[in-house]
Amino acid sequence: MRSLKERIRTEATVIGSDILKVDHFLNHQVDVDFLQEIAQEFYRHFKDEPITKILTVEASGIAVAVATAMLFRVPVVFAKKAASLNLDQDTYTSEVYSFTRQTSYHMKVSSRYLDHQDHVLIIDDFLANGRAVQGMIDIVHQAGASLAGVGIVIEKGFQEGGQQLRQQGIKVVSLAIIDAMDENHIQFRE
Amino acid sequence: MRSLKERIRTEATVIGSDILKVDHFLNHQVDVDFLQEIAQEFYRHFKDEPITKILTVEASGIAVAVATAMLFRVPVVFAKKAASLNLDQDTYTSEVYSFTRQTSYHMKVSSRYLDHQDHVLIIDDFLANGRAVQGMIDIVHQAGASLAGVGIVIEKGFQEGGQQLRQQGIKVVSLAIIDAMDENHIQFRE
């Protein structure tokens, strides 16, 4: 997605070898006009699939997932990361290690919101090592649902998550794939 | 909002005296068509204010805030609850006690995303004791920004949050206010 790469190139900040900050338009402050362009891209790639649910994980995936679901006109389900009094007892659960937060958490989805009739599109803002997406795929499998694919805004192509998913035969659509980056340069995959 | 009250009346589950579960359309699974109706209501109430930013807090406020921001065509900023390597060091911070999660957390917003030129609409899914909203108001004040008001989907009118905000002279628009509830009956404020 040309406009996304252009925004990353001109506006993102790289810290060290691993952190790409795009929190002024994607995951802390959200540019909602641009979000709708992103959603249109996902719609274009997956519109021929009979999607019934969009699945994401709180928190920063929610904005992208909601904008995408508005185009498919299907519900969004967001997996929960934290225990809550309000969550059903009957859940699909997957344990996920977060490198960003440097801790593991239990990703949970109430079993009322996914079942074997669902055809699921997973949406997230970032894909790096892929642990969050693998957790969501685990939950899709636990529900007996089918997976349409995975839509990612920014993939860190120098980490292994995207490659592992594609080797599993999963359709992964990343709107920008970064193959290398440092404080002076960001190299995108063509 | 008549359609919201009707959905709460016919679809919500009340647990004990305090928990209202609407997680099949609002805060775990999200009905995006209905979300857009909710956003239209907030737009109708605040469209004459020169809003520059919508502020919410992760995670379950994000969906409502994004849908609302699409109508105002302004950015959403979502306050973070958890420490992250990706968050700026320079933040507005407010300590908030969550009754739902039975623990305190530090709500943070990067100081890059709110300043004295902003006129802020705070959006959240629930208002009960009001601690999360008071934390966001604290952050708006720290930024030197002005507050247009607070838009809430469901207010628990039998808890003190809404009354306290209105006593402070803040415009609070709650699309449904529940004055009493138990497992057999939900009473709305007219």
Side-chain angles (χ1 to χ4, degrees):
Chain A
M1 186 180 171
R2 184 187 302 263
S3 58
L4 174 62
K5 291 180 187 171
E6 192 55 32
R7 286 200 79 158
I8 294 169
R9 204 187 306 274
T10 56
E11 300 175 32
T13 306
V14 178
I15 300 173
S17 60
D18 189 45
I19 296 176
L20 179 78
K21 280 173 65 74
V22 286
D23 58 5
H24 63 295
F25 69 86
L26 187 61
N27 49 19
H28 183 13
Q29 178 171 265
V30 181
D31 175 339
V32 292
D33 287 342
F34 193 60
L35 190 68
Q36 287 170 298
E37 291 180 39
I38 287 170
Q40 289 283 0
E41 281 292 303
F42 289 133
Y43 185 72
R44 195 169 65 77
H45 282 281
F46 288 101
K47 68 181 189 314
D48 296 329
E49 292 272 348
I51 309 285
T52 64
K53 294 275 168 72
I54 307 275
L55 177 63
T56 190
V57 59
E58 61 183 19
S60 57
I62 296 174
V64 186
V66 163
T68 306
M70 285 175 177
L71 300 179
F72 283 97
R73 301 195 68 176
V74 299
V76 173
V77 175
F78 51 92
K80 304 269 187 175
K81 284 181 175 174
S84 165
L85 295 176
N86 290 350
L87 190 61
D88 290 339
Q89 293 303 304
D90 190 8
T91 58
Y92 310 117
T93 300
S94 190
E95 187 171 359
V96 175
Y97 181 78
S98 165
F99 289 90
T100 313
R101 300 195 186 277
Q102 298 175 316
T103 179
S104 288
Y105 63 91
H106 287 90
M107 177 187 285
K108 288 174 187 280
V109 171
S110 166
S111 57
R112 297 200 294 165
Y113 304 133
L114 282 181
D115 68 26
H116 67 281
Q117 296 183 307
D118 281 315
H119 192 54
V120 179
L121 172 60
I122 291 173
I123 293 283
D124 210 352
D125 57 343
F126 268 94
L127 175 65
N129 54 77
R131 300 294 179 92
V133 170
Q134 295 285 6
M136 287 189 268
I137 292 172
D138 181 18
I139 282 172
V140 168
H141 289 158
Q142 288 179 41
S146 56
L147 180 66
V150 177
I152 298 293
V153 184
I154 302 172
E155 177 179 338
K156 292 176 176 170
F158 53 90
Q159 290 185 250
E160 71 282 10
Q163 186 182 1
Q164 286 173 355
L165 291 168
R166 292 181 183 99
Q167 282 172 351
Q168 293 168 41
I170 292 165
K171 178 177 174 179
V172 181
V173 172
S174 296
L175 303 186
I177 302 178
I178 295 172
D179 272 335
M181 64 181 196
D182 61 29
E183 288 168 27
N184 301 311
H185 183 67
I186 296 172
Q187 182 175 332
F188 293 101
R189 192 173 301 175
E190 291 309 318
Chain B
M1 185 178 171
R2 184 187 301 263
S3 58
L4 174 63
K5 291 179 187 172
E6 192 56 34
R7 287 199 78 159
I8 294 170
R9 204 187 306 273
T10 56
E11 301 174 30
T13 307
V14 178
I15 299 173
S17 59
D18 190 44
I19 295 176
L20 179 78
K21 280 174 63 73
V22 288
D23 59 7
H24 63 296
F25 68 86
L26 188 61
N27 48 20
H28 183 13
Q29 177 170 264
V30 181
D31 176 337
V32 291
D33 286 341
F34 194 61
L35 190 69
Q36 287 170 298
E37 291 180 39
I38 287 170
Q40 289 282 0
E41 281 293 302
F42 289 133
Y43 185 72
R44 195 168 65 78
H45 282 280
F46 289 101
K47 69 182 187 315
D48 296 329
E49 293 271 349
I51 310 286
T52 64
K53 293 274 168 75
I54 307 274
L55 177 63
T56 191
V57 59
E58 62 182 19
S60 57
I62 295 174
V64 185
V66 164
T68 306
M70 284 176 178
L71 300 179
F72 284 96
R73 301 196 69 174
V74 299
V76 174
V77 175
F78 51 93
K80 304 268 187 175
K81 284 181 176 174
S84 166
L85 294 176
N86 290 351
L87 190 61
D88 290 339
Q89 293 303 305
D90 190 7
T91 59
Y92 311 117
T93 301
S94 190
E95 186 170 359
V96 175
Y97 181 78
S98 165
F99 289 90
T100 313
R101 300 195 188 276
Q102 298 175 314
T103 179
S104 288
Y105 63 91
H106 287 89
M107 176 187 286
K108 289 174 186 281
V109 171
S110 166
S111 57
R112 297 199 294 164
Y113 305 131
L114 283 180
D115 68 26
H116 67 281
Q117 295 183 308
D118 281 316
H119 192 54
V120 179
L121 173 58
I122 291 173
I123 293 283
D124 210 353
D125 56 343
F126 269 93
L127 175 65
N129 54 76
R131 300 294 178 89
V133 169
Q134 295 286 5
M136 286 188 269
I137 291 171
D138 181 17
I139 282 172
V140 168
H141 290 157
Q142 289 178 41
S146 56
L147 181 66
V150 177
I152 298 292
V153 184
I154 302 173
E155 177 180 337
K156 291 176 176 170
F158 54 89
Q159 290 184 250
E160 72 281 10
Q163 187 182 0
Q164 287 174 354
L165 291 168
R166 292 180 184 99
Q167 282 171 352
Q168 293 168 42
I170 291 165
K171 178 177 175 180
V172 181
V173 172
S174 297
L175 303 186
I177 302 178
I178 295 171
D179 272 337
M181 65 182 195
D182 60 30
E183 287 169 28
N184 301 311
H185 184 66
I186 295 173
Q187 182 173 335
F188 293 100
R189 191 172 301 175
E190 290 310 318

